[in-house]
Structures are given as structure tokens and as C-alpha cells.
Amino acid sequence: MAKTRLESGTRLDGFLVGDLVHRGGMASLWEVTREGDPEAYLMKIPVLQEGEDPAAIVSFEMEQMIMPRLKGPHVPRHIANGDFAVQPYIVMEKLAGETLLPQLKSLPLPVDQVAALGAHIADALDALHGQGVIHLDLKPSNIMFRPTGEAVMVDYGLAHHRELPDLLQEEFRLPYGTAPYMAPEQVMGIRSDPRSDLFALGCLMYFFATGTRPFGDPQKLKGLKQRLWRDPVPPRILRPDIPPWFQEIVLRCLEVKAGRRYPTAAQLAHDLRNPGQVQLSARAEKLSKDGFFAVLKRKGEPPMTLIDKPPDREEEASDAPIVAVAINLDDMTPALAEKLRNTALRILERSPQARLAVLNVLKLNRIAMDQSLDEKGNNKHVQRLVSLKDWARPMALSQGRLTFHVLEAIDPADAILDYARVNNVDHVVMGARANSAMRKFLGSVSAKVAAEAPCTVTVVRNRSLDG
């Protein structure tokens, strides 16, 4: 079972753990080496301590899925992943140098320097977007530079990959990102628009050129939503020597509607490198924020009407349903486990493009405080995740076709129903409660799901069940 702590000198899957490089809120970074290999690497370990947000575990799962698929100079080279059943980790290339975070002590920077930085970062975003990935957490601490000059984007825990299920989108209802850099559509829960990264880059360039964050650093959803209707102070008010072309570029990146921003990161990079060719609009000469009535009008509109739809993706197969299998790990016999697998496989055989989502509900107390670690110090969420993967292993499904979700809720039936509604599930498969007395006194989760689900529900029952 996964450890909650790692120490220097530990040997893990052929890697020798060295010095602690960084300890963050969601993960720690350690230098590691392996025998016969002169190169030192970084090992990223998720934090699995008491009270840890389950989203941290899900984001680490996403990063483990996304990083092996990324190539090129703008991403750290992926080396290895560790299994959650033993110790989850990601080993990656150790990049020389620092992130952009120390640069904050020197702000504001010369405009030409900010434009050059922005162009290199836009190149990296263009490469990522070309591989189907939206970073969704662009900020100074997630940007490094190679000695050869290429910008490198690090930390893919909040990223979206168009060819992979978005576990964060499916399991959680809160917007995830770093407050000063989040795009309006991210605030509203949309994670599939590459232009969200261009908004974040606009925030970064504004900050680096003026020393002021365009939207501050709000810590609550109400403050985040203000960027839907309140425009930032034009950069040239804060720093009069900023040229019109730079303000034009930055304010275009910061448009609320994504359709008014640059359509691609490549076009943004081109303008940053060719200021004389930037087409100026009223944005370039703007010397005041929008007036009271303009803001009031925007504020009076339903928020989603201010958000553009993401660009159309490539046409997908029409027969691509989502099949959810709800597993009760506390009441599962080997026979029922096998029957659930066979039922799910029969459904998948009829729909070659279907995806299987394997669910379990970690039931929370209504009154008492919940503990995220068990009496042995193991993370309950991770334990259940490992058990779900063990259940699904005999099915031999490919990674992109299979996802695992540990939902935390007081009422298991409500959690399953909520997941089915939000994620447009086409078919729910679940087992009946094994004990008839338990069904009598606690009620039937499967009966409630079958009665209220917006999709087909198949309840699997062993013939040997009593009652």
C-alpha cells in the first residue's frame, strides 16, 4: 500500500531516492538516480496525509496518464510511473535552472523582455495544444527554460487531454486552477478550450510588465467570477511607457469571450515577435476601465452567455456511450464481482467505442468527523482506487477506455445519480445488496438508482442471494 512519507536513501523500483528538492501542498519532488545511469532524475510523490483533498489524488492520476503521451523540448521527458498499489510516483527529466517564480522579485520587467518570454511560452503552448493537451495551470512556478532557450511547461495535474477522460471534470464541481491566471470559462467549469491557456499567458505578461496582477488574487468563487464582467485596468495607465502594440496583445488575450482572443498560440507568438505588424484596435489606446453601465449590462447577463463554446473537435464516432459500473467494495463476493465484469464486457462488446467508468462511493458520516487515513495510516481513497483497478484487471481494457472514480458522499445512491447526470452516462451497472436484512433496514441503493437515473440501469444479482 502507498506510503505517506518517503525518505532519502529509500530504494524504490530500481531508483535510489536522494535529496528532497521541493515540498508542496499536493506533492513533493525528490532527486533520484538508478544504477548504471549517470543521469539524475526527479521523482514526484503525491501527498497522501490525513485530510488531503481527494482532488489531489485524481490530479496525480491525470498527470500519470498525460505525461507519457507528451513529446518534444517543451515538456519534461517522462521516465516512469509508480503503481498506486505500492507507491504512486512519476519520474521525469530533471531540468537545469529555476522556474520563473524568482523573477517576481524584479517586476516590472522591460516590455521587450516580457514579449520575448511570452513568445517562448506561446511556442510551448502551441506544441502542447498540437498534442491535444491544454495545460490549465500556466503560472510562473510552472514554467522553466532549457539552456537552448525553449520554454518548458511543468506540472500536468490540472491539464486536459482531448483523447483521455477528464477525471477532474467528471468527479468535482469546483473550478480548479490558480486564481490570478484562471480564464473566465475555467471559472465556469469549462476545461476543454485551448484559449484558456492564452488568457493565462495574458495575465502573466500583464503582471510581468506592470508588477500588478490584472484581476488580483481572489480566494473565493465570487471574486473569481468578477472577471466575467469587470475588465482590468489598461496596462498603459499603470505604466505609461508601455507601447500600444503590447497593450493590444495583452488585452486581446484577456478578453472574456474566448472567440475574441487569439485563435492559436502560434498567432500570439507571431505578434509578440513582430510588434510592427500588430493590428491595433481601440484596445491599444484604451486609458480607462469600462464604465459603470457597461459593467452593469454584462453583470446582468447569465454568466454562461458570456462564454464562447470551445472550438469544435474532430468528428467523433457516434456510438461512444459511457458505461458506469458501481462497485460496492464492502459487500462484494467473488461471484458477484465476476458477474459484474461479464455484464459490463457484454455491453462494451456491442459498442466498440464505449468507455467504462468504474465507481465506488466512500461513504461519509452525517455528523462525526471523517478520517481520510485508516488505523494503519493508509489513505482510504487510494485503497479503494487500488481495489477498483484490481477488480477491472481481468477485463484487460486499454487505459483510454477505462477510468476509476472514488466518490465521497453521505448518500451512495445520490452520488451515483449525480455522476450519471453530470457526465451523461448512458448505462449504469451495479450489484444488488447481498443481505436481505440490510436491504430491509438500510434501503436499496440499486432500487433508488434504477428509479431515478436518467439512463438505462442494469442491476446484477447472484442467484444465491437470500430473500
Side-chain angles (χ1 to χ4, degrees):
M1 176 44 75
K3 306 175 188 297
T4 57
R5 295 181 63 87
L6 201 68
E7 296 178 352
S8 180
T10 301
R11 289 193 177 273
L12 182 60
D13 296 344
F15 294 98
L16 176 63
V17 179
D19 294 334
L20 176 66
V21 176
H22 172 75
R23 189 181 299 278
M26 297 177 72
S28 58
L29 293 173
W30 298 77
E31 182 177 285
V32 297
T33 56
R34 57 184 173 183
E35 189 174 352
D37 188 342
E39 188 172 353
Y41 301 105
L42 277 184
M43 177 179 282
K44 185 173 184 177
I45 303 286
V47 175
L48 301 176
Q49 296 174 350
E50 180 62 63
E52 190 61 32
D53 185 350
I57 299 170
V58 175
S59 70
F60 198 84
E61 285 185 90
M62 288 298 304
E63 193 164 17
Q64 281 192 323
M65 288 194 293
I66 289 173
M67 283 202 66
R69 295 169 177 252
L70 298 179
K71 307 295 180 186
H74 300 292
V75 298
R77 181 164 44 94
H78 177 265
I79 306 300
N81 281 346
D83 197 316
F84 268 86
V86 182
Q87 173 63 63
Y89 63 77
I90 300 170
V91 176
M92 69 191 87
E93 173 187 9
K94 183 182 180 184
L95 298 163
E98 298 178 311
T99 69
L100 286 181
L101 194 60
Q103 295 267 19
L104 303 191
K105 299 175 183 177
S106 305
L107 302 185
L109 300 179
V111 168
D112 289 348
Q113 185 177 342
V114 177
L117 281 174
H120 284 299
I121 297 167
D123 289 339
L125 292 176
D126 185 55
L128 279 184
H129 297 168
Q131 296 181 65
V133 174
I134 310 165
H135 192 274
L136 295 175
D137 197 21
L138 186 150
K139 57 184 177 181
S141 59
N142 283 342
I143 302 167
M144 300 183 72
F145 280 82
R146 295 189 183 277
T148 47
E150 296 94 344
V152 182
M153 304 298 301
V154 301
D155 195 346
Y156 292 85
L158 300 185
H160 170 93
H161 195 300
R162 72 182 178 204
E163 295 177 1
L164 292 172
D166 191 335
L167 305 186
L168 281 172
Q169 179 81 33
E170 293 181 4
E171 293 188 29
F172 303 99
R173 305 295 169 259
L174 294 174
Y176 282 94
T178 301
Y181 305 95
M182 286 177 66
E185 59 273 13
Q186 264 181 279
V187 176
M188 300 307 296
I190 296 172
R191 291 173 36 84
S192 54
D193 196 327
R195 295 168 297 187
S196 298
D197 286 341
L198 306 189
F199 186 95
L201 180 50
C203 291
L204 186 145
M205 291 191 294
Y206 183 112
F207 186 25
F208 274 43
T210 67
T212 301
R213 293 182 174 92
F215 303 99
D217 188 10
Q219 298 303 307
K220 295 183 179 180
L221 185 58
K222 182 179 179 181
L224 285 169
K225 284 185 175 180
Q226 287 189 2
R227 67 195 61 189
L228 290 167
W229 51 77
R230 292 192 182 276
D231 58 319
V233 174
R236 295 178 66 198
I237 294 179
L238 300 174
R239 188 174 164 189
D241 64 326
I242 285 179
W245 64 265
F246 185 80
Q247 177 163 296
E248 173 71 32
I249 291 173
V250 170
L251 292 186
R252 184 174 177 184
C253 289
L254 298 182
E255 288 281 359
V256 173
K257 282 183 173 284
R260 295 176 182 168
R261 300 174 207 154
Y262 285 90
T264 65
Q267 291 189 25
L268 170 57
H270 181 273
D271 269 10
L272 286 166
R273 290 193 172 99
N274 298 276
Q277 299 180 36
V278 176
Q279 300 236 344
L280 302 183
S281 70
R283 285 183 290 244
E285 302 299 332
K286 191 174 182 183
L287 293 177
S288 64
K289 296 182 67 172
D290 289 343
F292 172 79
F293 290 106
V295 173
L296 188 65
K297 180 181 178 183
R298 286 197 293 265
K299 196 171 182 179
E301 296 181 38
M304 290 307 295
T305 65
L306 299 171
I307 304 299
D308 283 339
K309 288 181 62 178
D312 290 336
R313 289 176 47 181
E314 296 178 7
E315 187 174 348
E316 298 178 346
S318 58
D319 187 22
I322 296 177
V323 180
V325 180
I327 305 293
N328 182 358
L329 296 171
D330 301 321
D331 191 23
M332 175 70 68
T333 64
L336 182 57
E338 179 67 19
K339 204 163 186 178
L340 282 167
R341 279 193 294 268
N342 291 337
T343 301
L345 284 171
R346 284 197 297 271
I347 296 170
L348 296 180
E349 286 172 358
R350 296 196 295 269
S351 303
Q353 302 298 321
R355 174 163 73 85
L356 188 67
V358 185
L359 316 179
N360 173 256
V361 181
L362 179 57
K363 196 171 185 302
L364 302 179
N365 294 310
R366 291 185 182 273
I367 301 175
M369 290 289 291
D370 291 290
Q371 303 293 315
S372 56
L373 304 181
D374 64 15
E375 63 279 359
K376 296 180 180 179
N378 295 317
N379 186 285
K380 296 177 184 177
H381 190 112
V382 172
Q383 283 183 306
R384 287 171 180 254
L385 192 62
V386 170
S387 297
L388 293 181
K389 292 183 178 182
D390 287 342
W391 173 85
R393 191 168 287 111
M395 302 174 78
L397 296 173
S398 61
Q399 184 186 63
R401 207 177 174 203
L402 181 64
T403 59
F404 302 93
H405 311 264
V406 178
L407 312 176
E408 299 192 5
I410 293 173
D411 187 308
D414 285 344
I416 295 167
L417 287 167
D418 186 47
Y419 182 91
R421 294 186 188 108
V422 171
N423 296 292
N424 298 314
V425 170
D426 298 275
H427 198 145
V428 173
V429 179
M430 59 192 305
R433 195 185 294 276
N435 187 298
S436 59
M438 294 290 282
R439 289 198 302 273
K440 179 178 179 181
F441 289 107
L442 298 180
S444 171
V445 173
S446 57
K448 182 174 180 179
V449 172
E452 300 182 23
C455 61
T456 302
V457 177
T458 297
V459 179
V460 177
R461 185 188 300 273
N462 277 334
R463 292 183 183 278
S464 59
L465 289 179
D466 53 2

